[in-house]
Amino acid sequence: MRILIRSSEQFFTRQPAQLALALIGVAAGVAVVTGVALMRNTMIDSLDAAAKALAGDSSLRIEAAPGSSLDEDWFSQLTRQPGSPALIPFLSARVRSQGNILELLATDPISANASQTLAAYRGTATGLLVNPMAVIVNRVTAKRLTVTTDDPIKVRVDGRDIELSVLAVLDGEPWLDNRLLMDLSGAQQLLNKQGQLSWISAPTEAKAWLEARLDRQLKLIESSERLASVERLTAGFRINLTALSLLALVVGLFVVHSVLSFLLVQRQRQIGVYRALGVTPAQLRAWLLFEVLLLTLIGSLIGLVLGTELARALLVLIQNPSAELYGMVTGQQILPSRAVYLGILALALGLAGLSVSGLISSALRIPPGQLNRGSSPSIRPRTRFLLAIGLSGFGLILLVATSHLIAALASLFLFLSATAIVVPQLAMAVVRGVRAISPGSLPGRALGMLTASRQRLGPSMAALSLALGLSSGMALMVDGFRSAVDDWVTKLLRADVYLSLQGDSISPMQFESIRADWAEFQAVSSVRQIRQANGVQLVAYDLPDAARRGFEFLAGGDQGTWERFDQGTGVLVSEPLARRQALTIGQSVTVATPSGTVQRPVLGIYRDYASDVGQIAVAGPVFRHWFKDRSRDSVGLYLAPDGKVPNLTELAQRLDLAPSRLNLTLREDVRRITLGVFDRTFRITQALALLVGLIAVVSLVSALMALGLERRGEYATLRALGLSRAGLGGWVLTQTVGLSLIAALLAVPISALIHAVLSLAVQPRAFGWTVPLEFSVQPWIQLLPVALGAGVLAGLIPAWSIGRQHVASQLKGQR
Amino acid sequence: MSSDALLSLHKVSRSFQSGMETIRVLDEVDLVLQPRQRLAIMGASGSGKSTLLHLSAGMDRPDSGSIVLAGQTLERLAEPDLTRFRARQIGLVFQDFNLIDSLTVFDNIALVPWLTKTKSSTKAILDLGEELGIGALMGRFPAQLSGGEKQRVAIARALIHRPALILADEPTGSLDPDSADTVLDLFDQSVRSLDCAVLMVTHNQHAASRMDKTLYLSHGRLAAGA
């Protein structure tokens, strides 16, 4: 075995480029998987990191019940009771600074846990007490905001620009990533939330004590519940990213497969000799498997390091979308996880072994003493075709028979596996077609030469077609989705202008004034929403007829629907909620109110792309009856004929408020902001699709270099017969660009397939949205420059490498 | 150097590195080949015969000396002129045939006119094929041919553009004796009919005897006798 391994060492030393490309392919695939996994973990882990640091590991939270706010008096009352546990008050809000969304987190800095956490930083706890407008940040956040100790930080809070000062910059402390730690009273003043809290933290062992004493208006939430809720909230987002990253790993493994296939063909003679001399099939298998696993191990270790860095970059990309979509401020610091690293390593090794098992089996079939270099045995076309049909069929069954997201993703993988099997055959059919149409031309001759290397090129063509198909399929899905969101928001936004108050709700008196006295507007709609304990949004609508026409119903929605809605005898639910809870018209939903739960039947299901969490919509009067809450979060103002929107200052005067307190947004601006959130959200998936594409180009470079080495005899002959160096370069580039263009052509139906599965199955199951299946040509047109670029890139190295050698030495190398 | 010579090598030397050792394969070799002359070079394995051939074809550069082919000093030509010049003036026949596996017999023969952008009609290719006994094989691929058939295709490829000089490197080296004889007969016949000069490197005494003259390469030097 040692001798066999020494021969591998010699062999790889003579093929450094192939070795490098194999390592790059594995490393890149593993890097993407690792980056996404670590980013995903940080997303979840960082959520409660701050609270854990300041209030201890296992803690309960006391929060206000839906529809009410958490008064600081509750904290005072509980702490005064005999046997009261150690309670810690918190106030949290999102603020913006230099385009970054941060969490302003305020607490009592001299509470036991906070003191302990800040004990290492002398003077910080008392410093916060005596400087109410001061904040503590960590190094990562300070770097992001380009501030240091004693510097001012400008933050935007409720439409107001406030200047805070940096009291201290702490090293490390990942729980402070993207957070500003402040004293509670200072934050209450800053946020205009005097006497209010976001939650009160309590030790787990105080659960029974608290349950016996908490008012109905308060609820007790364990940290595991909170975590589970966030995981459910972000499940669709995280699963989609994970699926993309796994695809990157598969494409990366194509590179390994391609290189090993080449190495096997190169060593067929050697293997024949070994078999003749007495090497057993078992020894052969062990040797080849050892090579594969060693290559994969080295490449994976590199990939784990690169992936950790990639995770940092991905975190930056999801920072704002995470806050905008889910209200989550994510950490910046990646916490390397042994479990993640070992898991990915095992996955890469397992998949690599599996992907080359066919190659190794074919190597074992080389008879002892075979000294001629033949082509590597391959699966017959008919068998390939049947295998592809089988995989597709199984995928279709999975898709149709179940409604799980994982099943949809699994079926997508099966469909893609089926296409990977048939793409090589189809690609060679196109090549033969080009040769048949124009046999005497450069493309005809150069591409025709490749038919003898179809087994070499097959995996790389499959990888490139899949990568291009994935990239354009995702672009099609995003384009279609964006178009749907644009249509939806355009239809939904009926008011001419929308009004809300910074950091506050519109009081009943203010609302009445708007409705009665603002003559420019002929109608007013309003919205009030609260989050229920199960995470579902309860939304109260007061809607004029014009607003109702903006609702796009997927079920129900006739005139009777609105009548019953107004009477309070039923509710409307959004599509995501209907999907999650498998609701249909007539089925009941439960609404938690201060006086207990209420059941109401579903009258209609409406389209809502604003949130994948789900909404229950009730009529405004019904909501106010249940919750005794007459405030409004925002109002929509409908201009009367010939009416003009007054300016902000005038409207503020009418409400006796400072203009900075008002948010006045024109309909078009709301649309623009909505689409901006959408674009930021999908940036990360586009980044990942690009990475997959790059890995596929590596795969093609690897295969074409291997091709160049394998066909060097023919290239030498061509050079000898009269093909100049430049001519040979053109020959090779014609091959690579031709192959890339063929891959792009085959990527078109692949992209259509991916778009269909993503839009019709994955999106509804992940987020609860149906996305119309629309096709735009732009993603397909964009394939052309990408394929050309990939082809040129893939051809440059082989063309240079082959062309620089002397004809004589190339010819001699063939003897 | 004779100004009428088709090919002249004047004090041509070539060395190669083998590990730490420098091997002087050709040592100030002089060679003159007249138009339509047919010359065989014999020598032991590793004596530099193929190197001599490659230098004559411009596929390699000498360390010193000069090579003139059809009045053109090869050292003065740079790529791609050298390649174009070689393609037009020379036909190459290799020991291992060096056919392009993915091209048919017809396309293999048509490759050189296409590369050199010289006109060659289908009829000319077919006629040459008939002459060499491969007329019925035009649609086949090299993998479907015997060794003798492959070498005949290679010869047709070398002759189709009517070069002034044929360089043949062990043209019968991979053939059994019967096939070798057949190939030699056809080769002989064809080059005579086209009036090509021939420089053939060979181990085969019988092949060498068909040439006008035989030279022996030994220790880097050419001599008339063994």
Side-chain angles (χ1 to χ4, degrees):
Chain A
M1 186 69 172
R2 263 185 307 172
I3 292 174
L4 296 177
I5 293 170
R6 268 211 296 276
S7 82
S8 294
E9 197 188 313
Q10 277 292 310
F11 187 77
F12 280 114
T13 311
R14 286 202 299 270
Q15 313 281 357
Q18 286 297 313
L19 177 62
L21 284 169
L23 290 175
I24 288 170
V26 174
V30 166
V32 174
V33 174
T34 307
V36 169
L38 290 175
M39 176 212 74
R40 221 183 40 216
N41 285 1
T42 303
M43 238 180 112
I44 299 299
D45 292 345
S46 63
L47 175 73
D48 266 349
K52 279 184 191 167
L54 295 170
D57 266 340
S58 41
S59 61
L60 300 169
R61 278 198 185 188
I62 303 167
E63 292 183 7
S68 39
S69 57
L70 185 59
D71 204 294
E72 202 171 357
D73 284 345
W74 288 116
F75 173 75
S76 307
Q77 282 179 34
L78 286 169
T79 50
R80 279 202 296 267
Q81 293 191 36
S84 163
L87 300 175
I88 306 170
F90 283 95
L91 184 63
S92 165
R94 273 184 296 158
V95 301
R96 276 189 185 267
S97 180
Q98 300 172 35
N100 301 297
I101 300 176
L102 308 170
E103 183 183 9
L104 184 74
L105 187 64
T107 188
D108 176 5
I110 57 169
S111 67
N113 282 94
S115 300
Q116 202 170 354
T117 301
L118 296 174
Y121 308 97
R122 264 178 46 167
T124 48
T126 47
L128 284 179
L129 270 182
V130 302
N131 294 296
M133 288 291 125
V135 294
I136 294 174
V137 297
N138 67 2
R139 187 72 57 197
V140 165
T141 308
K143 195 174 168 190
R144 205 165 168 217
L145 301 175
T146 58
V147 295
T148 185
T149 309
D150 296 329
D151 277 353
I153 295 184
K154 277 205 174 70
V155 298
R156 192 159 177 83
V157 179
D158 297 338
R160 295 169 291 133
D161 288 318
I162 310 279
E163 192 172 280
L164 304 171
S165 70
V166 179
L167 176 70
V169 177
L170 309 186
D171 286 313
E173 309 296 350
W175 57 272
L176 265 182
D177 284 352
N178 296 317
R179 291 188 169 98
L180 310 173
L181 183 64
M182 208 171 167
D183 172 62
L184 183 63
S185 58
Q188 286 171 328
Q189 188 187 333
L190 180 70
L191 299 169
N192 266 340
K193 286 185 192 264
Q194 286 85 347
Q196 288 184 49
L197 300 173
S198 298
W199 74 85
I200 301 167
S201 199
T204 316
E205 39 290 2
K207 186 176 176 185
W209 188 95
L210 288 167
E211 277 174 343
R213 289 163 180 78
L214 280 185
D215 185 271
R216 248 180 354 172
Q217 289 180 59
L218 304 178
K219 55 182 179 165
L220 204 57
I221 301 173
E222 297 190 56
S223 60
S224 56
E225 270 176 72
R226 187 170 149 67
L227 194 63
S229 166
V230 167
E231 283 177 345
R232 270 196 310 273
L233 196 66
T234 58
F237 185 66
R238 290 181 296 113
I239 289 171
N240 271 341
L241 290 182
T242 305
L244 250 187
S245 71
L246 287 174
L247 195 62
L249 181 63
V250 167
V251 173
L253 288 173
F254 267 124
V255 181
V256 174
H257 188 281
S258 173
V259 168
L260 289 168
S261 173
F262 159 72
L263 296 175
L264 195 64
V265 169
Q266 289 292 302
R267 290 185 295 180
Q268 271 192 337
R269 193 171 189 275
Q270 185 184 31
I271 291 169
V273 169
Y274 281 150
R275 292 281 285 120
L277 293 176
V279 173
T280 64
Q283 286 173 319
L284 204 57
R285 182 190 293 279
W287 169 48
L288 293 173
L289 206 53
F290 172 77
E291 267 187 2
V292 169
L293 294 179
L294 185 62
L295 264 179
T296 308
L297 178 66
I298 297 171
S300 297
L301 290 174
I302 298 169
L304 291 176
V305 171
L306 293 175
T308 307
E309 287 308 308
L310 177 65
R312 287 185 229 282
L314 292 175
L315 270 179
V316 171
L317 273 179
I318 62 151
Q319 210 77 54
N320 283 358
S322 180
E324 283 162 343
L325 287 178
Y326 303 113
M328 287 171 57
V329 168
T330 51
Q332 279 287 140
Q333 295 179 57
I334 299 293
L335 300 168
S337 160
R338 195 183 302 178
V340 166
Y341 289 150
L342 288 175
I344 292 172
L345 196 58
L347 181 68
L349 289 169
L351 285 179
L354 200 65
S355 72
V356 299
S357 56
L359 283 177
I360 292 176
S361 296
S362 73
L364 296 180
R365 287 197 294 273
I366 295 170
Q370 177 174 307
L371 302 181
N372 294 322
R373 189 200 299 175
S375 60
S376 51
S378 67
I379 307 171
R380 284 188 300 195
R382 191 159 171 270
T383 311
R384 282 178 177 269
F385 185 64
L386 289 172
L387 192 57
I389 298 260
L391 286 172
S392 307
F394 188 39
L396 199 59
I397 290 170
L398 263 184
L399 198 61
V400 167
T402 74
S403 59
H404 297 300
L405 173 62
I406 303 292
L409 291 171
S411 67
L412 183 60
F413 269 101
L414 287 169
F415 292 146
L416 293 180
S417 302
T419 55
I421 288 170
V422 298
V423 155
Q425 304 295 120
L426 294 172
M428 286 301 130
V430 174
V431 165
R432 284 193 291 272
V434 170
R435 185 172 66 179
I437 291 167
S438 183
S441 67
L442 174 60
R445 289 181 193 274
L447 287 175
M449 197 178 182
L450 297 177
T451 53
S453 305
R454 56 188 173 279
Q455 281 145 33
R456 161 87 45 268
L457 295 170
S460 296
M461 288 295 289
L464 190 61
S465 298
L466 282 177
L468 291 175
L470 177 72
S471 185
S472 49
M474 294 221 53
L476 284 169
M477 185 274 290
V478 171
D479 279 356
F481 195 3
R482 195 180 197 279
S483 171
V485 169
D486 196 1
D487 288 345
W488 165 76
V489 80
T490 303
K491 191 176 174 191
L492 186 69
L493 299 174
R494 293 289 170 142
D496 296 292
V497 65
Y498 294 86
L499 177 74
S500 61
L501 300 186
Q502 295 284 2
D504 205 353
S505 51
I506 299 170
S507 70
M509 205 164 73
Q510 285 166 333
F511 178 74
E512 287 309 315
S513 163
I514 292 168
R515 198 167 61 163
D517 302 334
W518 293 17
E520 307 85 349
F521 303 107
Q522 61 179 348
V524 176
S525 62
S526 74
V527 172
R528 175 71 170 161
Q529 48 186 358
I530 58 171
R531 190 178 288 278
Q532 299 258 281
N534 58 4
V536 172
Q537 286 280 88
L538 182 67
V539 186
Y541 283 118
D542 290 279
L543 300 172
D545 286 340
R548 293 176 186 209
R549 285 194 287 274
F551 274 68
E552 192 180 336
F553 282 95
L554 302 162
D558 56 19
Q559 190 52 37
T561 300
W562 286 113
E563 279 168 15
R564 292 186 62 190
F565 176 80
D566 290 335
Q567 287 161 11
T569 54
V571 299
L572 306 175
V573 298
S574 69
E575 184 192 8
L577 184 67
R579 279 190 179 274
R580 274 193 218 293
Q581 297 185 8
L583 293 170
T584 54
I585 304 294
Q587 280 184 299
S588 287
V589 292
T590 305
V591 177
T593 73
S595 47
T597 57
V598 174
Q599 304 271 337
R600 285 291 183 275
V602 174
L603 301 172
I605 300 171
Y606 59 93
R607 194 183 293 287
D608 177 26
Y609 289 129
S611 160
D612 62 336
V613 172
Q615 284 185 351
I616 299 173
V618 298
V622 174
F623 177 87
R624 289 187 281 279
H625 170 70
W626 286 341
F627 292 91
K628 313 289 183 248
D629 175 354
R630 296 171 56 221
S631 301
R632 309 307 206 255
D633 290 330
S634 69
V635 296
L637 304 166
Y638 296 71
L639 279 173
D642 300 327
K644 279 189 201 159
V645 180
N647 65 41
L648 187 71
T649 309
E650 190 184 331
L651 290 179
Q653 274 174 356
R654 293 183 194 181
L655 293 173
D656 195 22
L657 293 169
S660 60
R661 295 286 316 282
L662 263 67
N663 272 332
L664 196 67
T665 318
L666 297 174
R667 178 172 60 214
E668 180 51 37
D669 290 334
V670 174
R671 176 183 164 273
R672 188 179 45 79
I673 291 165
T674 305
L675 292 176
V677 171
F678 179 93
D679 291 337
R680 282 192 291 279
T681 305
F682 278 97
R683 212 172 282 161
I684 189 170
T685 45
Q686 286 158 350
L688 286 177
L690 181 66
L691 283 172
V692 173
L694 287 175
I695 297 170
V697 170
V698 168
S699 171
L700 189 66
V701 170
S702 162
L704 289 164
M705 284 192 68
L707 177 74
L709 288 167
E710 191 183 272
R711 304 232 78 83
R712 61 183 179 272
E714 288 187 354
Y715 291 136
T717 303
L718 288 171
R719 288 277 287 120
L721 292 177
L723 191 63
S724 65
R725 236 175 232 151
L728 182 61
W731 188 279
V732 171
L733 280 171
T734 300
Q735 289 176 333
T736 60
V737 170
L739 286 175
S740 294
L741 289 175
I742 291 170
L745 182 68
L746 295 173
V748 170
I750 294 173
S751 67
L753 172 70
I754 290 173
H755 173 33
V757 175
L758 286 177
S759 298
L760 299 178
V762 174
Q763 287 283 11
R765 297 176 197 204
F767 301 109
W769 301 317
T770 47
V771 179
L773 193 66
E774 288 175 5
F775 290 90
S776 58
V777 293
Q778 200 184 352
W780 288 333
I781 292 171
Q782 280 169 353
L783 278 176
L784 196 59
V786 171
L788 280 171
V792 169
L793 197 68
L796 283 176
I797 297 171
W800 172 81
S801 165
I802 294 160
R804 73 191 181 105
Q805 291 173 19
H806 281 301
V807 180
S809 53
Q810 282 179 316
L811 285 171
K812 277 184 195 156
Q814 297 317 295
R815 294 258 177 108
Chain B
M1 271 188 283
S2 163
S3 59
D4 297 331
L6 175 64
L7 174 69
S8 297
L9 275 69
H10 178 63
K11 295 202 181 309
V12 166
S13 296
R14 186 71 170 97
S15 301
F16 292 102
Q17 277 306 117
S18 177
M20 300 293 284
E21 205 184 334
T22 303
I23 299 169
R24 199 169 175 81
V25 174
L26 297 176
D27 187 9
E28 296 194 344
V29 166
D30 289 312
L31 175 73
V32 173
L33 185 69
Q34 300 296 338
R36 292 182 291 283
Q37 185 181 15
R38 291 164 316 124
L39 183 65
I41 307 286
M42 295 189 75
S45 293
S47 59
K49 304 187 297 296
S50 295
T51 303
L52 181 69
L53 214 66
H54 291 159
L55 287 168
S56 302
M59 294 192 293
D60 197 2
R61 301 276 194 188
D63 296 330
S64 60
S66 78
I67 302 168
V68 179
L69 173 64
Q72 176 68 56
T73 305
L74 296 186
E75 301 84 73
R76 290 195 193 139
L77 287 177
E79 275 286 342
D81 295 325
L82 178 60
T83 302
R84 275 198 283 269
F85 184 75
R86 171 176 65 249
R88 293 218 164 104
Q89 298 295 333
I90 296 172
L92 290 163
V93 181
F94 303 95
Q95 177 180 353
D96 293 327
F97 327 124
N98 284 18
L99 300 179
I100 307 293
D101 291 336
S102 54
L103 298 179
T104 60
V105 167
F106 183 93
D107 284 336
N108 265 285
I109 299 170
L111 190 58
V112 173
W114 182 75
L115 285 170
T116 56
K117 295 183 176 37
T118 52
K119 280 188 82 169
S120 176
S121 66
T122 303
K123 185 177 181 307
I125 294 172
L126 293 174
D127 286 345
L128 184 57
E130 285 296 335
E131 198 179 306
L132 287 165
I134 53 171
L137 306 176
M138 287 294 167
R140 293 202 194 168
F141 289 91
Q144 298 169 297
L145 306 178
S146 68
E149 288 167 343
K150 285 181 190 172
Q151 195 59 297
R152 279 183 267 165
V153 174
I155 292 167
R157 183 179 64 186
L159 293 173
I160 187 62
H161 57 301
R162 307 178 81 91
L165 173 64
I166 301 290
L167 294 176
D169 189 353
E170 305 270 12
T172 59
S174 298
L175 303 176
D176 60 85
D178 288 338
S179 303
D181 280 342
T182 308
V183 165
L184 278 173
D185 287 341
L186 290 166
F187 180 63
D188 204 23
Q189 199 179 301
S190 298
V191 298
R192 283 179 195 279
S193 72
L194 291 172
D195 265 346
C196 307
V198 176
L199 181 63
M200 178 193 292
V201 154
T202 184
H203 281 306
N204 188 324
Q205 191 65 51
H206 182 53
S209 68
R210 289 169 179 252
M211 299 293 110
D212 298 331
K213 188 177 172 183
T214 300
L215 295 175
Y216 295 87
L217 189 58
S218 175
H219 300 297
R221 292 197 167 245
L222 270 177

